[in-house]
Amino acid sequence: MTRALVVPVQADDGHRFELIGRVPQQPRAQLLWLPALGVSARNYQPFADALAARGISVFLHEWRGNGSSSLRPSRAQDWGYREILEQDLPASLAALRLHGTAPLIIGGHSLGGQLACVFAGLHPSVFARFWLVATGTPYWRTFPAPRGWTLPLVYRLLPWLAQRQGVLHGRRLGFGGTEARGLIRDWARVGLNNHYAAEGVQADLEGGMRRLHGHADAVVLADDWLAPPGSMQGLLAKLPQVASTLSVVPAGTLGTRADHFAWMKAPEAVVKALFHSFE
């Protein structure tokens, strides 16, 4: 039997949010899962249920500004990678640890997969396995032409829009939700130069990832133009001491569209791919 949990969390700066948990009776491992940009944790409940059925305890992190978060971005309320890496994710990790002692996995979807790797690099002894789905570096050169050629313009335009408007109204653009301008600046900088850094963070984020050890199970959806194989390979290249397995899942195997989001409602094929080297 799987227990469904809602765990209240408060970061050191007062930000409040909830972790959604799925905990089987005898967990083989615990997963801290980070969502895609603009996606609330509750949208990953089918994925968490499928993993829990295989013995994985899952805790779904909530991004600052989304879903259960006590904050919303505005001209007066801004944040970037620093608040996520130094405030929110440590609070989620501490809450997760109160619910078991099984080995820890960190993973995520899209932006969540990127920041899962970055956060692990800041805590290199904590995680030995990484589950990455439909993610990769946003660096424009890792995307196939001609789409990749247009991305430098996007990475300059979106921060400008966010600064001008106070937030990025991503839903109007078909990209993310209502996003903090600092978050968009940090993300776009990686897209331009392929170097993970964050305003206000002194740690060497790239160096932290290079020092990681363990195993990464990476899953790309065959028709996902937002996270093509080259982008995932670019992210895995930042983990040179981590052994990795890369699976490309087509629509026929998935049972639905093999795009960036459809797998969330039909996660079985993705779960099976993640377990390829875990069994």
Side-chain angles (χ1 to χ4, degrees):
M1 186 179 78
T2 297
R3 287 186 297 144
L5 303 176
V6 176
V7 182
V9 180
Q10 181 166 316
D12 286 344
D13 67 351
H15 173 222
R16 301 183 309 279
F17 58 99
E18 295 173 343
L19 282 179
I20 296 174
R22 293 292 186 269
V23 181
Q25 282 188 316
Q26 295 183 315
R28 304 161 61 187
Q30 292 179 290
L31 170 66
L32 178 59
W33 184 257
L34 281 54
L37 180 71
V39 179
S40 295
R42 64 179 178 271
N43 292 289
Y44 295 92
Q45 289 179 96
F47 177 61
D49 290 336
L51 287 171
R54 289 178 174 248
I56 304 299
S57 182
V58 181
F59 289 84
L60 305 173
H61 178 75
E62 188 82 270
W63 287 136
R64 184 173 289 229
N66 268 13
S68 62
S69 169
S70 62
L71 299 175
R72 292 294 182 267
S74 67
R75 288 192 181 277
Q77 190 69 254
D78 191 30
W79 57 80
Y81 285 4
R82 180 179 67 83
E83 288 79 3
I84 293 170
L85 295 170
E86 296 183 352
Q87 299 288 338
D88 298 345
L89 290 176
S92 282
L93 178 59
L96 179 155
R97 283 174 150 165
L98 296 176
H99 293 272
T101 58
L104 295 177
I105 304 170
I106 192 166
H109 173 206
S110 199
L111 178 66
Q114 298 175 54
L115 293 189
C117 295
V118 174
F119 181 66
L122 293 171
H123 304 272
S125 64
V126 173
F127 306 99
R129 186 170 288 271
F130 314 94
W131 280 357
L132 308 172
V133 178
T135 185
T137 172
Y139 184 44
W140 66 275
R141 290 186 183 275
T142 65
F143 286 73
R147 187 182 303 277
W149 300 338
T150 69
L151 291 178
L153 176 61
V154 172
Y155 296 144
R156 291 180 173 90
L157 174 63
L158 294 187
W160 178 82
L161 280 175
Q163 186 64 35
R164 183 178 177 86
Q165 299 171 347
V167 299
L168 182 71
H169 296 289
R171 301 209 187 284
R172 299 178 188 173
L173 303 171
F175 177 78
T178 302
E179 307 297 344
R181 58 191 181 276
L183 179 67
I184 295 301
R185 280 198 305 272
D186 285 340
W187 165 80
R189 188 180 301 112
V190 183
L192 287 170
N193 63 25
N194 200 32
H195 183 82
Y196 282 91
E199 293 181 18
V201 174
Q202 301 302 313
D204 179 4
L205 303 183
E206 290 278 335
M209 288 189 284
R210 286 195 299 271
R211 290 188 289 270
L212 286 172
H213 292 81
H215 193 281
D217 295 282
V219 180
V220 171
L221 290 311
D223 304 317
D224 182 5
W225 65 269
L226 287 169
S231 174
M232 179 73 86
Q233 290 163 347
L235 180 60
L236 293 174
K238 294 179 177 292
L239 315 173
Q241 301 186 80
V242 173
S244 63
T245 303
L246 175 59
S247 303
V248 180
V249 180
T253 301
L254 201 62
T256 187
R257 301 182 312 280
D259 63 18
H260 202 58
F261 297 109
W263 69 272
M264 296 164 59
K265 294 182 178 179
E268 287 296 337
V270 168
V271 169
K272 184 177 179 180
L274 291 173
F275 270 78
H276 179 74
S277 65
F278 187 81
E279 303 288 6

